[in-house]
Amino acid sequence: MSTILPEKPVITDRQSVILSDAERRHLRRKFKGSVDLAKQALSPRRQIKRLVERKSDEAKHLVGEATQIVRKNAPILGVIGVSALLFAARRPISRWISRLRRSKTTPDGV
């Protein structure tokens, strides 16, 4: 024996209004929740926090790359640094060498 189900449930006007009101309240709650989430995500404080996180990650990445480059090229960078130091101190060094030469050529008693 098969049971016969009604094809369409009979809904009265009152039930229809109650169901649509419940659906409307549910959709309103869902919408307000979405709006609250959007407000939180788009708040200035949250935006600044996300920006700082992104930029700090980029900075860490750049520092890591720079460290690797320096480690690879340490001898070259050392030579360049010493060359720059000698270039900057060329006048004091040449004066010191001149004084050494003069002291060797000048007699002690004079």
Side-chain angles (χ1 to χ4, degrees):
M1 288 187 161
S2 69
T3 55
I4 300 174
L5 296 174
E7 290 181 19
K8 277 189 169 180
V10 179
I11 298 178
T12 63
D13 287 338
R14 184 173 195 278
Q15 288 175 331
S16 170
V17 170
I18 291 172
L19 288 174
S20 65
D21 188 46
E23 184 180 7
R24 182 184 54 78
R25 278 184 277 138
H26 170 72
L27 291 174
R28 178 176 279 172
R29 265 186 263 124
K30 195 173 174 183
F31 176 71
K32 282 186 177 182
S34 298
V35 169
D36 289 341
L37 286 175
K39 281 182 182 178
Q40 288 174 359
L42 297 174
S43 71
R45 217 177 248 183
R46 179 73 177 148
Q47 292 293 321
I48 290 172
K49 184 178 177 183
R50 288 175 56 202
L51 177 71
V52 167
E53 287 174 357
R54 243 185 281 136
K55 293 302 176 183
S56 66
D57 288 343
E58 288 176 17
K60 288 176 185 176
H61 181 69
L62 288 174
V63 167
E65 285 181 3
T67 304
Q68 287 178 353
I69 290 170
V70 168
R71 283 184 183 155
K72 281 183 182 178
N73 301 317
I76 294 170
L77 292 173
V79 168
I80 291 171
V82 168
S83 301
L85 182 65
L86 289 173
F87 181 77
R90 68 187 182 277
R91 286 197 177 141
I93 292 172
S94 80
R95 276 189 244 133
W96 177 70
I97 291 173
S98 296
R99 267 189 258 138
L100 280 177
R101 285 183 183 163
R102 273 187 266 138
S103 69
K104 287 184 179 180
T105 57
T106 309
D108 288 336
V110 177

